[in-house]
Amino acid sequence: MGKVEINEENISKCLCKTCPVQTDSKCSKDKLDIINEKLKQEGDIKDIIKPEEELSLVYCSFGKATCTDLSSMELCKCTQCNVWLDNNLANTEPIEYFCIDGAPK
């Protein structure tokens, strides 16, 4: 419980790219473009990307975003996400805003 893997299945379920906290973030959009290109490559996702530097998704896997233009004033979608539900993240701290508050423990 609380440990979320970085894999293509979780990335495909992730709501971060539509989350109001980061939809206006140029940094997140730029990183998402990089990830979309890299996902076309063959191999294990963990070998293809550097999460803390490039990933603008599945913050519940690794913690805070490196982007500084996220909006903590917007409503977070974590609790609506299948990754959150599938990994029982309701019983962790923090419960949401992983991109700002860090990975669940």
Side-chain angles (χ1 to χ4, degrees), residues 30-78:
D30 291 346
K31 287 183 177 201
L32 194 56
D33 289 342
I34 291 168
I35 293 306
N36 286 331
E37 280 303 310
K38 289 193 171 198
L39 286 175
K40 295 175 186 173
Q41 298 176 23
E42 296 285 326
D44 188 335
I45 194 74
K46 291 178 234 165
D47 297 330
I48 296 171
I49 61 163
K50 300 175 202 106
E52 61 285 343
E53 294 174 24
E54 299 171 342
L55 198 56
S56 61
L57 304 167
V58 289
Y59 297 109
C60 53
S61 292
F62 66 92
K64 292 182 183 183
T66 56
C67 293
T68 58
D69 60 348
L70 303 181
S71 176
S72 62
M73 302 305 287
E74 297 294 337
L75 288 177
C76 176
K77 281 190 168 186
C78 288

Side-chain angles (χ1 to χ4, degrees), residues 2 9 14 23-25 29 31 37 40 53 56 69 76 82 104-105:
E9 180 183 359
C14 184
T23 52
D24 290 333
S25 165
K29 288 176 187 172
K31 287 183 177 201
E37 280 303 310
K40 295 175 186 173
E53 294 174 24
S56 61
D69 60 348
C76 176
N82 283 330
K105 294 176 178 53

Side-chain angles (χ1 to χ4, degrees), residues 7-17 58 80-84 86-87:
N7 58 40
E8 288 191 54
E9 180 183 359
N10 283 337
I11 287 172
S12 68
K13 292 183 203 174
C14 184
L15 294 181
C16 288
K17 61 184 165 241
V58 289
Q80 302 166 31
C81 183
N82 283 330
V83 177
W84 187 87
D86 293 348
N87 291 278

